Amino acid sequence: MARISRRELFKLSGGGALAARAGGIASILALKQAPAYAQATTLHWLRWNDFVPTSDALLLKEIVPECEKALGIKLTIEMINGNDIQARTTSAIQSGSGPDIICALNNWPQLYPESVVDVSDVAEEIGKAQGGYYDESKVVANDGKKWLAAPWCIVGALLAYRKSWFEEVGYPTGQFPQNWEQYRAAGKLLKANGHPMGQTLGHTFGDAPTYAYPYMWSFGGKEVQADGKTVVLNSKETTESVKFMTGFWKDAYDEGGLAWDDSSNNRAFLSGTCSCTLNGASIYLEAKRKPETYVTEKGTPLWQDILHAPLPKGAAGQFGYHLPMSNMLLAYSSNQKAAKEFLRWITSKEVYQKWFDTQQGYTVGATTIWEKDKLWEKDPVMLPFRTAARAGRFPGYEGPADRHAAEVLSKYIIIDMYAKAVQGMAAEDAVNWAHGEVASVHA
Amino acid sequence: MAVSDVTTTSDTYTGSVRRWPVTRLLEDERWLALVLLVPTMVLLGLFIAYPFVKGVELSVTDAKVGVPGNFVGMQNFVGLLNDSIFRVAVWNTIVYTAVTTVFKLALGLWLALLLNRNFKGKALTRAFILLPFIIPTVLSTFAWKWMFDPTFSVINWTLFRLGIISSRINWLGDPSLALISVIIVNVWRGVPFYAISLLAGLQTINPELQDAAAIDGARPWQRFWYVTWPLLLPVTMVVVLFSVIQTFADFQLVYVLTGGGPANATQLFATYAYQIGVGTGLLSQGAAISLAMFPVLLVVVIVQLLYIRRVETL
Amino acid sequence: MIEGAKWRRWIFFYIPLCAFIFTLLFPFYWMLVTAVRPDSELYRPWSAPNYAPFWTSHPTLDHITYLLQETLFSTWMLNTLLISIAATLISLFCGLLAGYALSRLKFRFAGMLGTAIFITYLVPQTLLFIPLADIIRNFRLGDTPWALILTYPTFLIPFCTWLLMGYFKAIPRELEECARIDGAARWQAMLYIIFPIAVPGILSAGIFAFTLSWNEFIYALVFLSSPAEKTVSVGVTSELIRGDVFYWGSLMAGALLGSIPVAFVYSFFVEYYVAGLTGAVKG
C-alpha cells in the first residue's frame, strides 16, 4: 500500500497540492505551532452506504489516509441510507452549507443544475483516458452543454434466476427465455411448480423502475419524443405492454410483489420462494458470502444454483435501466479546486481500481475501460454484468433525462400504470391515467 | 434569560411582607404573564416564525432547489386541484386520520380504565405498555414491515395454522389492505400514548365522587358516563387535538412501510409533499401541498378549540 | 374494584388487559426472536414446514455483537439521551410557565396567544426542515447536538403548554387564594402550590416530550452529519440498511436496545407519577 501511495504522491500532486502542503508546513514552522488539521484542506464527501461493506471499509481505512498523503486533503466520508441522500442534498443547497461532494444516484444532478460546479474538465479528462462513458452515465450527468457531475459507477440490474428450476421447465444451463412470450410461458410453468417469479411494482427507488421502464421500452412504449416535450405515452405499444402485463402477472409472478420493497425480492429469492427476479448482484454475492446459510431445497449451497440474465427482448428490442451514480461538486463549497483535484484522483485508474475490485462486479465503471478488467475472469456467473450497461437507457427516453423525467420517476407514474392494471384497472384506462399525469408533468 | 434570573434570585426569598420591586411588578398579572411567556415566544419565534413565513413564500413562487424563483400567485394551488395523485392523497389522509383517531381514542380509553385499577406489577405494566410509543418509529415500522411481508408474515402463518385463512393475505400489496395495514400500525403506536395521557386525567378525578355515585346506586357505566367522562373531557380533547394533527401530518410510518404505494394507495399529504419537494426538487409545489393541509387542519382545530371552550365554561 | 363474582373480574379486567398487553408487546417479542435468530432460520418462508416463527432453535448473539462492536450504537444512544433530556427540560420549562400564564392569569390576548402557540404546531415538519436548515447554519449549530436541542422544542412546547393548561384549569382557584392570603407572592403561589399539584401533568408532558425527541428522525437526519453525532434512529438506518441488503437481526436488536431501557426508566417515573397524584388529590 505504502509503495503505491508514494508513487501516486509524486505523480498526482506535482502541481498545486504538494506545493500548498509544503507551504502549509512552512508556515506552521514559521509560526512555531504544532501542525493543526484545521489548516489543511478538508473535504466532506456524502455517499450512500454500499451493498458491499468491504468497499466502505476500503474508502474509510485506505482511501482517506492515502488521499491525505497524496493530495494533502483531509477527507471526511459520510455514508447514509441511499433513500435519505436527497433530503440532505436539498437542505444543504437551500442553506448553502454541507458536503462538498455528494454522490448522486440516478439523474439527480439534473435536478440541481444551478447549484453544482461545472466539472467538464475532470469528466472529459477521465472519459478520454478510460475509453469514454456509457450513454446512461452521460445522459444523467451531462445537460448537453457541460458536465454537472463526474460519473462514478453504474449498478447493474439483471435477472437472477435458479438454474435447476429453469432446467425443470426446459431451459438447460446456459439457455434462458429470449423474449417476453417465452419468459411468460416459463414463468407459468415455474409458478405451477410452486416457484413463482418475483418482482416489485411498489414505490421503491431501485427494483421497480429498473424493471418497469425497460419492460415498456422493449414493447416500443416511451414517455416523450426526442424533443422532450411531446408526450407519447398513450400509444398502441404502451397499451400492448400493459395488457400483456396483466395476464403475465397472474401467470408467472408472486402476487405479493405489489408490496415489495427493494429488499423483499432478495429475501424471497434467498429463502427459496422465488425463481427469478430483477436485482443487482446482491442476491448472488450474499449467497456466495454465506454458503452455509443459504441452501437449496436439496441442501446444496444456493449460490451454485444462481445465474444472471438480461431482461428478455420485446418487439422493439432489449433494454436495461441500471442505476447510475455520479459525484456532484456543490457550488457553495469553498474548496472547489481541491475537490476537483480529488475527483480527478479518485476516478483515476489506479485509485478507482482498488474500489472497483472490492465491488466484485456489483457495479461496473462509468467508463467502458472497466469491461476489460481482469475482475471479470474470476467468476463466470458475474459475467453478464460486465457489458450490461451497454443496453442501458434512462427514464425520460426518448427525451433528455431532465427534471421532468425525474418527476415522472419520483411520482412512480410508469410503475403505478402497471400496478393499477395488475390490480384490475382496464389497460386503456391505466395508460390514459399515466399519460395524463406525464403530460401534466411536462406541461 | 431574564426569566430564569428572576426565578433563581427570588428562590431564596420566601413569603415575607416586605416586597422587592421585581416581585411587586410580578404581582400584576399582566407583567407576570409577559415574563412567563417570554421563553416560549423567543424559541418559537426564532425557530418557527421564519421557516413558516419562508414556507408560505415558497408556495407562491416557482422555486426549485437552488433556484429562488418568481412570484406566481396561487398557480401552485390551482395546479393541485387538477392533480389526481393529490386528490388521492387528500382522501387517504382524511380516512387515515379519522379511522385511526376513533380507534386510538376508544382503545386508549379502555386501556386507561383498565390501568387505573390496582393490581400486581402495575407500574411495570404501565411503563411497558408505552413501549410501542417509545421505540423509534422508523425501527418499529421495519419490524411491522417484516410481520406483513407476504413471504414471511408471522400473522399469515398464525391465521393459516388456526385455519382462519387458506391462502396468504397480501397485507401491503392489496390497495385497500395496504391502507388498513398502515392504520393498524398507527393505532398500535398511538394507543399507549392515549392510554397514559387519559390515565393521568383519570388519576386527577377524586375517587370520592365515584363512591358517592355508587352509594346513590349508579351502575358502573352510568358512573363512567355521568361522573368520570365529563371530568375527563378537557384532557381528552387536548390529546385528541394533538393526535389528530400529528396523524394528519404523519410521514415516517408510511415512508418506511410502503413509500406511498402500491399505486398511491397509501399516499398521504406529507409523503406526497416530500416526494415532490425533495424527490423532484420542486420546492414550491412541495410547499403548496404541505400548506394545503393547513386550512383543513385549521378547520378541525377551530371546531375542537371552540368545543373545548364550551366544555370548560359549562 | 370490580364488584361481584370472580368471573366478572376475568371478563372485564384480566382478559382485556392481557389482550392489550399481548397485542402491544407482541412486535417486541418478534424483534427479540429476530435479533437472536441466525440468518439461515431468518430466511425461511412461512409456508416452509419447519418454519417456527415464535421460537429460535439455535439462538445466536452475532447480530447483537455486530451492533455493539461494529457500529457506534452506544455513542448514538448517549447522543439521543442527552439531546432528548435537554430538549425535554427546555420544553417543560417553557410549557410550564406559558401554560400557567395562559390558563390562570387574566390579560389581554390570552386566548389569541394560546391559539397562536397552538398553530405553530400545525406547521408541517416535512416542509419546515428546509428553511430551518438556513437558521441552523446562521447560528452555526450544524452537526452539533444543539441543532436538535433547540429545534425539538418547536414541536414539543405547543403540546406541553396545552396539556399543562388543561391540568392548571382543573386545580381549584381557592388553593392559590388561600396561599395569597397567607402572604405568598403570586409567583410563590405558582411555584409552591400549583406546580406541585400539577406534577402528574408535568410528568405526562415530560414523557411525551422525551419520547417524541427520542424517536424524531428527519431533523436528526438533516442537521447532523458526523457518524459520532448521530442519534439512534438515523445511525441505525444508515449503518444497517445497505442498498437492498438489510441487516435484520442487528436492526431489530437496535430497535430493542433503543427502547426497552427507556421503558425501565419510565417504570420508576410512572410509580412516582401515581404516588404524586394520590398525594395531590388527598392532600
Side-chain angles (χ1 to χ4, degrees):
Chain A
M1 282 300 131
R3 195 172 50 82
I4 295 169
S5 14
R6 209 167 302 129
R7 196 184 62 204
E8 274 156 14
L9 175 77
F10 289 123
K11 201 173 116 207
L12 289 158
S13 54
L18 190 65
R21 194 152 175 259
I25 292 165
S27 60
I28 289 162
L29 288 175
L31 288 166
K32 289 192 174 140
Q33 273 178 345
Y37 276 127
Q39 284 161 337
T41 312
T42 56
L43 278 184
H44 179 177
W45 186 19
L46 179 72
R47 346 176 346 103
W48 83 340
N49 44 14
D50 211 285
F51 306 89
V52 189
T54 45
S55 290
D56 281 353
L58 173 93
L59 288 175
L60 293 171
K61 295 197 182 109
E62 289 185 32
I63 297 292
V64 168
E66 276 179 34
C67 173
E68 185 155 13
K69 240 187 256 164
L71 304 173
I73 292 169
K74 194 172 155 24
L75 182 65
T76 317
I77 305 179
E78 186 193 351
M79 286 136 181
I80 61 171
N81 191 346
N83 271 320
D84 300 330
I85 294 180
Q86 273 194 301
R88 285 290 298 276
T89 311
T90 305
S91 76
I93 291 176
Q94 284 300 108
S95 70
S97 70
D100 301 284
I101 300 170
I102 297 178
C103 188
L105 277 61
N106 280 330
N107 66 338
W108 295 348
Q110 309 280 357
L111 299 180
Y112 318 113
E114 296 84 0
S115 317
V116 296
V117 176
D118 178 357
V119 288
S120 301
D121 44 349
V122 180
E124 293 288 350
E125 193 185 310
I126 299 292
K128 216 170 278 164
Q130 301 183 7
Y133 292 107
Y134 289 109
D135 279 350
E136 215 182 323
S137 283
K138 186 170 176 186
V139 104
V140 295
N142 188 308
D143 67 355
K145 293 181 224 65
K146 59 176 188 297
W147 288 88
L148 301 168
W152 174 251
C153 71
I154 295 176
V155 184
L158 292 177
L159 293 169
Y161 67 94
R162 292 287 292 270
K163 193 164 62 181
S164 59
W165 290 347
F166 270 77
E167 263 166 32
E168 285 171 20
V169 297
Y171 289 93
T173 312
Q175 286 183 37
F176 191 76
Q178 289 302 301
N179 56 42
W180 288 108
E181 280 79 14
Q182 289 173 6
Y183 187 63
R184 177 176 171 173
K188 201 168 178 174
L189 293 172
L190 283 163
K191 194 172 178 178
N193 287 351
H195 312 307
M197 295 171 165
Q199 179 55 48
T200 170
L201 285 177
H203 284 191
T204 79
F205 81 99
D207 297 334
T210 52
Y211 174 83
Y213 278 90
Y215 174 82
M216 176 176 77
W217 295 327
S218 70
F219 276 79
K222 58 189 175 197
E223 295 159 72
V224 285
Q225 280 180 348
D227 60 5
K229 290 189 189 77
T230 323
V231 178
V232 289
L233 183 64
N234 194 352
S235 63
K236 210 169 78 247
E237 290 82 9
T238 314
T239 316
E240 188 55 40
S241 78
V242 176
K243 275 188 184 145
F244 186 80
M245 175 65 87
T246 49
F248 181 23
W249 188 263
K250 282 198 192 71
D251 284 354
Y253 280 111
D254 182 328
E255 284 162 57
L258 281 169
W260 280 5
D261 60 30
D262 286 334
S263 72
S264 310
N265 59 343
N266 295 43
R267 285 209 299 284
F269 195 99
L270 290 171
S271 70
T273 57
C274 161
S275 55
C276 180
T277 188
L278 184 80
N279 205 48
S282 53
I283 292 176
Y284 173 68
L285 293 176
E286 173 79 3
K288 201 175 166 185
R289 200 161 65 91
K290 298 183 192 156
E292 285 104 46
T293 303
Y294 307 111
V295 289
T296 63
E297 66 282 5
K298 297 183 198 86
T300 56
L302 182 67
W303 69 273
Q304 294 171 345
D305 197 33
I306 301 177
L307 287 177
H308 293 109
L311 285 169
K313 277 193 200 72
Q318 187 169 27
F319 301 99
Y321 158 24
H322 310 285
L323 196 73
M325 293 196 201
S326 36
N327 286 308
M328 304 186 285
L329 169 48
L330 278 303
Y332 57 71
S333 163
S334 51
N335 296 318
Q336 295 182 7
K337 214 171 142 226
K340 277 194 180 178
E341 203 60 38
F342 167 73
L343 285 177
R344 197 172 275 134
W345 179 76
I346 190 96
T347 36
S348 69
K349 184 107 190 340
E350 294 77 10
V351 184
Y352 190 84
Q353 178 84 54
K354 292 178 201 162
W355 183 80
F356 182 76
D357 288 343
T358 60
Q359 287 279 300
Q360 303 163 278
Y362 212 120
T363 58
V364 299
T367 50
T368 54
I369 196 174
W370 299 102
E371 285 182 13
K372 300 192 198 86
D373 196 83
K374 59 180 186 307
L375 175 105
W376 302 111
E377 292 158 19
K378 277 188 203 151
D379 189 344
V381 177
M382 291 300 291
L383 211 54
F385 282 93
R386 188 177 98 181
T387 50
R390 288 184 192 167
R393 266 185 186 175
F394 197 81
Y397 185 84
E398 162 179 25
D402 59 2
R403 188 188 295 278
H404 298 115
E407 189 175 341
V408 174
L409 180 61
S410 75
K411 281 183 171 171
Y412 303 101
I413 296 172
I414 303 298
I415 295 144
D416 285 350
M417 172 174 81
Y418 291 111
K420 276 171 189 271
V422 164
Q423 286 168 0
M425 189 188 257
E428 289 79 7
D429 295 342
V431 175
N432 247 327
W433 169 83
H435 183 92
E437 288 297 321
V438 174
S440 75
V441 167
H442 283 273
Chain B
M1 290 304 269
V3 184
S4 58
D5 283 348
V6 171
T7 21
T8 45
T9 50
S10 317
D11 261 355
T12 50
Y13 168 90
T14 18
S16 125
V17 192
R18 204 169 62 92
R19 292 205 162 141
W20 294 50
V22 183
T23 315
R24 244 191 337 253
L25 196 62
L26 291 183
E27 281 302 288
D28 186 330
E29 295 198 12
R30 282 166 302 176
W31 282 104
L32 182 61
L34 184 72
V35 170
L36 294 180
L37 283 166
V38 163
T40 299
M41 292 296 139
V42 169
L43 252 175
L44 293 184
L46 274 180
F47 291 102
I48 286 269
Y50 168 78
F52 182 58
V53 170
K54 195 82 187 167
V56 175
E57 205 182 295
L58 275 177
S59 69
V60 292
T61 63
D62 56 359
K64 302 181 183 81
V65 175
V67 188
N70 303 309
F71 180 77
V72 294
M74 301 306 279
Q75 196 183 303
N76 291 322
F77 293 95
V78 175
L80 286 182
L81 295 177
N82 299 318
D83 183 340
S84 70
I85 302 179
F86 177 72
R87 283 197 298 264
V88 171
V90 173
W91 177 241
N92 286 344
T93 311
I94 292 172
V95 171
Y96 177 68
T97 311
V99 175
T100 55
T101 305
V102 168
F103 276 97
K104 279 188 281 193
L105 179 60
L107 295 173
L109 183 60
W110 188 8
L111 183 57
L113 289 168
L114 292 174
L115 291 176
N116 196 27
R117 301 224 172 88
N118 255 320
F119 58 93
K120 244 193 186 159
K122 190 174 55 179
L124 215 59
T125 312
R126 284 174 180 176
F128 272 81
I129 276 298
L130 274 174
L131 268 176
F133 183 59
I134 297 169
I135 186 171
T137 316
V138 180
L139 302 180
S140 63
T141 311
F142 278 119
W144 276 99
K145 197 172 183 165
W146 208 358
M147 301 200 332
F148 283 140
D149 188 290
T151 322
F152 298 91
S153 174
V154 60
I155 306 174
N156 281 356
W157 182 83
T158 312
L159 293 176
F160 181 79
R161 277 298 164 100
L162 293 175
I164 297 171
I165 54 169
S166 55
S167 66
R168 69 175 178 206
I169 303 176
N170 198 353
W171 287 103
L172 297 171
D174 182 88
S176 47
L177 271 178
L179 192 59
I180 292 175
S181 305
V182 172
I183 286 173
I184 291 175
V185 181
N186 183 286
V187 171
W188 172 78
R189 208 172 68 83
V191 164
F193 164 63
Y194 271 78
I196 220 75
S197 303
L198 295 180
L199 177 64
L202 283 175
Q203 302 266 335
T204 51
I205 296 169
N206 193 336
E208 282 161 26
L209 289 173
Q210 283 265 359
D211 297 345
I215 290 163
D216 289 346
R219 300 185 59 78
W221 71 268
Q222 284 175 322
R223 270 179 282 158
F224 171 75
W225 188 247
Y226 293 107
V227 180
T228 314
W229 179 241
L231 288 168
L232 199 58
L233 205 52
V235 177
T236 310
M237 289 310 284
V238 174
V239 171
V240 169
L241 196 55
F242 277 87
S243 151
V244 163
I245 296 167
Q246 279 233 313
T247 314
F248 212 85
D250 209 356
F251 171 74
Q252 285 182 37
L253 203 162
V254 169
Y255 182 64
V256 175
L257 205 59
T258 63
N264 292 314
T266 55
Q267 192 72 267
L268 302 181
F269 260 119
T271 49
Y272 191 50
Y274 183 85
Q275 213 174 75
I276 298 297
V278 174
T280 320
L282 299 169
L283 277 185
S284 56
Q285 289 186 27
I289 296 167
S290 291
L291 288 173
M293 48 176 157
F294 207 80
V296 187
L297 268 184
L298 208 60
V299 172
V300 176
V301 164
I302 286 172
V303 169
Q304 281 192 315
L305 285 180
L306 288 177
Y307 189 66
I308 290 180
R309 292 249 159 89
R310 226 189 49 203
V311 168
E312 280 168 359
T313 48
L314 274 178
Chain C
M1 288 293 237
I2 287 180
E3 55 266 37
K6 218 172 189 177
W7 63 268
R8 287 180 62 99
R9 283 181 74 90
W10 279 96
I11 299 268
F12 291 107
F13 183 66
Y14 291 117
I15 292 175
L17 187 66
C18 289
F20 267 111
I21 294 175
F22 176 78
T23 328
L24 291 174
L25 299 187
F26 175 72
F28 291 88
Y29 175 71
W30 177 248
M31 288 175 210
L32 181 70
V33 170
T34 309
V36 297
R37 189 171 281 192
D39 277 344
S40 52
E41 279 184 58
L42 214 52
Y43 286 84
R44 203 174 273 168
W46 71 276
S47 44
N50 55 353
Y51 178 71
F54 299 108
W55 197 244
T56 295
S57 31
H58 307 285
T60 165
L61 289 177
D62 287 356
H63 303 307
I64 299 169
T65 1
Y66 181 87
L67 178 76
L68 295 176
Q69 290 179 354
E70 303 292 314
T71 71
L72 294 168
F73 188 74
S74 47
T75 317
W76 300 329
M77 283 287 279
L78 204 64
N79 291 340
T80 319
L81 190 69
L82 288 178
I83 290 168
S84 305
I85 290 178
T88 305
L89 289 180
I90 292 179
S91 312
L92 277 183
F93 175 73
C94 293
L96 205 52
L97 300 186
Y100 179 82
L102 292 171
S103 61
R104 296 190 80 90
L105 299 177
K106 286 197 195 70
F107 60 101
R108 245 199 288 178
F109 310 125
M112 230 180 70
L113 266 173
T115 316
I117 290 180
F118 193 88
I119 283 176
T120 59
Y121 194 72
L122 298 184
V123 185
Q125 253 186 50
T126 32
L127 165 74
L128 215 55
F129 81 91
I130 297 165
L132 207 50
D134 241 342
I135 301 184
I136 298 295
R137 190 210 42 180
N138 288 339
F139 290 164
R140 298 185 183 281
L141 298 175
D143 206 19
T144 66
W146 289 104
L148 303 185
I149 292 175
L150 292 174
T151 47
Y152 285 175
T154 55
F155 55 82
L156 302 178
I157 290 177
F159 181 83
C160 290
T161 307
W162 273 73
L163 196 72
L164 290 167
M165 275 167 68
Y167 283 98
F168 288 141
K169 275 183 190 157
I171 297 168
R173 278 187 176 274
E174 296 80 37
L175 275 177
E176 216 175 343
E177 276 154 22
C178 286
R180 308 241 313 127
I181 290 163
D182 289 348
R186 197 179 278 283
W187 64 265
Q188 287 170 324
M190 170 182 96
L191 201 61
Y192 299 118
I193 308 293
I194 304 299
F195 284 4
I197 296 180
V199 161
I202 297 173
L203 274 176
S204 67
I207 286 181
F208 175 85
F210 183 84
T211 310
L212 278 198
S213 321
W214 186 258
N215 61 39
E216 201 280 338
F217 183 74
I218 197 140
Y219 288 178
L221 168 72
V222 172
F223 300 147
L224 302 178
S225 56
S226 323
E229 294 288 342
K230 289 187 174 172
T231 60
V232 170
S233 33
V234 176
V236 167
T237 45
S238 17
E239 289 281 329
L240 300 175
I241 298 173
R242 297 183 163 273
D244 55 0
V245 182
F246 284 43
Y247 289 53
W248 281 106
S250 305
L251 263 177
M252 294 299 109
L256 278 180
L257 294 179
S259 55
I260 289 191
V262 183
F264 272 111
V265 175
Y266 280 6
S267 70
F268 294 109
F269 272 108
V270 171
E271 189 72 51
Y272 174 58
Y273 152 121
V274 177
L277 273 164
T278 7
V281 176
K282 296 261 155 81

